[in-house]
Amino acid sequence: MAAMALAGTGVSALDIVDSAAAQAAGARPNFQLPFACDDVWRMSTYPGHDDYDIDMFATTGTTAGRPILASAAGTVAYAGYDSGAGNYVKLNHGGGWESLYLHMVSTPAVSTGQQVGQGQLLGRVGTTGNSSGEHLHHEQRRDGAKVESYFNGAPSGITTDGSPSGEPKSPEVRAVSANCGNILVYGVLADGRLTYSEIESGTGRRLKTVLSEEPLGFTPKALATLNYNTLLVTSTAGDLHRVNIITNKTGVAFEKPSRIKVGGWTHTQLSYDGHGSLYGINSVGELLRYDVTSTKPTGDNIVNGTRIGGGFVLKTMTTTGQDWILGTTADGRLLSYKINGAGSWSSGELKDSTWQGMTHLVSPGAGTYFGRTGTGGLFRYTDRNPYDGSGGDLFGLGAVDDSGWTQALLSAVPFNS
């Protein structure tokens, strides 16, 4: 809702342009959805709402009281109360960019002048001020003017409220939060040595890559990352190994791999969804799911092997969320699957071509995808809603690196691990 005027001034606190923001706008900050990692929120507007204003509602659980997080790092330009905005926060991100968070349930958790990082708690969702129900009203501004909000490099899709011309307002959009921190990727080189890379969330800039001095000691076939310091790797002999990472600061050091399953692990693809399920595709195209009951599993902690179905002839495969997988085919299709159980799944074709050049597919979740090409380039994508089975909201965000990714296997640390 629009803010009321400040007493005696005729000017809304929301409309005061800070001197630091009143300059030629710089590059757009790497805004993320202002909610917890992997949360799905509904974004909408209505006639008279002022085009780029967005109201946000949770799609699961209650909206009231949910944490509101900073979309990008910045300085608190204002934290307080206004009769229209209620309890609200305005952040100055520099370069003429601001973001606003209205109708918080109580006094903001930050103070005017405070420096905040991306993902820092600002307050909680409420309905204070000129508001008729619990929601977050969010805006992004460039040189003091409202603009279409972007999240994780993708446009929100909210651009018009349908007034006063009577044109249709922007349709409701659902989006998943990638306000999750940096992306962490493990790999295995052709000589069996491990690599560890960090990629900055939002920008896609590779921050570092380090590698191990020693090889694994067996010939790896498929790789899944359980968490920051635990990998599962199959061998060409059909065994499953657990690799405990000791450090990945300036190099990768690991304990001697433990063989936790002997024989039968002929998976050509392997990925962990971050929610307790390990998925694999074996040499005859069967998709299998296992329950992982420990963060440092032995063979007894990888149980309930379930055959989901056959015909999963995928060139690449990764998990993108709880019981969701993503894969490419030899003819270039990008496919998404929701796994329900044995013999039960639904699928959607996100792209019908052009992905045949991808030799690896990696995702930490939250709609963030990476594809590696045969020439060693790593490219970044965002899917505004990875759980809708549609590619209409899939956006390419450019290259992390044009070349240099020579690993034989790649796997990301799941955001929710």
Side-chain angles (χ1 to χ4, degrees), residues 45-71:
T45 187
Y46 55 86
H49 202 208
D50 203 7
D51 286 342
Y52 299 120
D53 294 357
I54 303 176
D55 283 349
M56 298 179 170
F57 304 85
T59 60
T60 57
T62 59
T63 297
R66 298 285 275 271
I68 300 169
L69 310 181
S71 287

Side-chain angles (χ1 to χ4, degrees), residues 159-327:
T159 58
T160 178
D161 65 359
S163 63
S165 64
E167 295 295 322
K169 67 181 179 66
S170 296
E172 176 183 298
V173 174
R174 295 192 177 206
V176 62
S177 175
N179 207 336
C180 307
N182 290 338
I183 296 102
L184 315 176
V185 180
Y186 281 100
V188 184
L189 295 170
D191 62 8
R193 289 181 298 162
L194 294 181
T195 68
Y196 170 79
S197 302
E198 292 187 11
I199 300 171
E200 188 173 45
S201 178
T203 67
R205 182 169 61 98
R206 182 168 56 86
L207 301 176
K208 78 172 188 179
T209 294
V210 295
L211 65 159
S212 66
E213 294 182 0
E214 300 296 326
L216 287 171
F218 59 88
T219 305
K221 189 171 185 178
L223 167 68
T225 305
L226 291 190
N227 48 60
Y228 182 70
N229 54 18
T230 313
L231 313 179
L232 293 178
V233 190
T234 61
S235 70
T236 53
D239 301 329
L240 179 66
H241 299 258
R242 187 191 72 230
V243 181
N244 295 336
I245 304 298
I246 300 171
T247 182
N248 50 28
K249 298 302 182 184
T250 59
V252 182
F254 55 91
E255 297 175 0
K256 181 180 178 181
S258 300
R259 187 169 59 174
I260 59 175
K261 293 281 191 180
V262 179
W265 284 75
T266 60
H267 303 71
T268 58
Q269 307 286 345
L270 201 66
S271 189
Y272 179 66
D273 72 356
H275 296 268
S277 293
L278 177 68
Y279 283 92
I281 297 176
N282 63 20
S283 57
V284 295
E286 295 176 315
L287 179 67
L288 302 156
R289 182 174 66 188
Y290 306 86
D291 294 335
V292 181
T293 61
S294 172
T295 57
K296 295 288 186 184
T298 65
D300 293 336
N301 300 124
I302 299 179
V303 296
N304 302 325
T306 301
R307 182 183 183 275
I308 302 302
F312 286 83
V313 186
L314 297 178
K315 182 180 178 181
T316 68
M317 186 271 286
T318 187
T319 45
T320 59
Q322 186 170 14
D323 294 322
W324 282 86
I325 66 173
L326 186 75

